[in-house]
Amino acid sequence: MDPLNNRSSVSEFILLGLSSSQEVQIFLFAIFFLVYVAIVVGNLLIVISVILDNHLHSPMYFFLANLSFFDLCLSSVATPKMIADFLRKHKTISLWGCMAQMFFTHFFGGGEMSLLIAMAIDRYVAICKPLHYKTIMSHRVLIVFLLLSWATGFIHTTSQMVFTVGLPFCGPNIVDSIFCDLPLVIKLACTETYILELLVIANSGLLSLICFILLLISYIIMLVTIWQHSSSASSKAVPTLSAHISVVTLFFGPTIFNYTFPFNSYSVEKFLSVFYSIITPLLNPIMYTLRNQEMKAAIRRLSSQHVGSWLTH
């Protein structure tokens, strides 16, 4: 017997989305479709460029390629269905589909959170210990950081979903959001969920807040080091530092406000959900490509090679 369905009379959830107006939904479909295409193309372009271009085979670009992969996966968890729902009158998702959305959202979100910390460590070593950079950030260290990111994401989502999957859902099944958001779904359970809601806030909100504060401290140390000891090695690492700070702020900001300071306004929660699911994955490749000369040069080389090979054939 399926333990979840055995305890729940609800077999699906209804997602209210962003608007009930058909004209507005068609407009949103076009906007979100174009944004998602840009997310896929932009992040795939970064991953492929780092893999194929020898000039980008360094720890910083190794982390950047994996960040793009996490962004691509995170946006693909709910965005394709959300786009398709703009054309549907009845926006529903199965019980298990909802659980899968929440699992993978926190899996890739937690993994990206850990990866951003690894990227901050990489920049710290590059700026504060430039002479030992290649020795400290060895290939083995990079693999360890990557495995820790995947493990963090798995632990982060499992520690919440192991309690959520067993909840009985027998009453209201309307989720006032664009996808299955864990705090909103928990509230629909026909049992006391106060302890679980506190667990979610502690797990997602406070963890994000602590990580953000630690990252903020590390960036302050890096900026002070640059100011006190200006060197050519440090200067080469400076251009990407502002992009890192922007990405960290954009990633942790919505998460911290959504979980640490829960809003009663569903419009605010919807805005944060949209920001977290599609805006941040779109801004990441834009910031790193527009502010990074090496990445722009690699993309140009990649494009010229493929255009040249296409013309010769």
Side-chain angles (χ1 to χ4, degrees), residues 58-64 115-130 133-134 136-137 142 145 215 218-219 221-223 225-226 233-245 248 288 292 294:
S58 66
M60 184 184 75
Y61 293 108
F62 171 82
F63 287 129
L64 178 56
L115 189 66
L116 287 170
I117 295 175
M119 293 175 73
I121 294 173
D122 171 70
R123 291 299 83 202
Y124 173 82
V125 176
I127 293 173
C128 299
K129 300 181 182 295
Y133 178 70
K134 291 184 178 180
I136 297 174
M137 300 305 295
L142 299 183
F145 275 135
L215 287 169
S218 70
Y219 286 129
I221 294 173
M222 283 183 257
L223 291 172
T225 302
I226 293 170
S234 295
S235 299
K236 292 178 68 176
V238 171
T240 57
L241 187 59
S242 60
H244 279 291
I245 295 174
V248 165
Y288 281 114
N292 191 296
E294 290 183 344

Side-chain angles (χ1 to χ4, degrees), residues 64-105:
L64 178 56
N66 281 280
L67 177 67
S68 293
F69 180 75
F70 272 112
D71 278 333
L72 183 60
C73 294
L74 183 61
S75 63
S76 297
V77 170
T79 306
K81 175 171 172 48
M82 178 176 63
I83 293 172
D85 281 346
F86 285 131
L87 302 179
R88 296 192 181 110
K89 186 176 181 181
H90 301 289
K91 303 171 180 59
T92 61
I93 183 171
S94 68
L95 189 61
W96 277 114
C98 185
M99 295 296 164
Q101 265 194 5
M102 294 186 293
F103 178 89
F104 286 108
T105 296

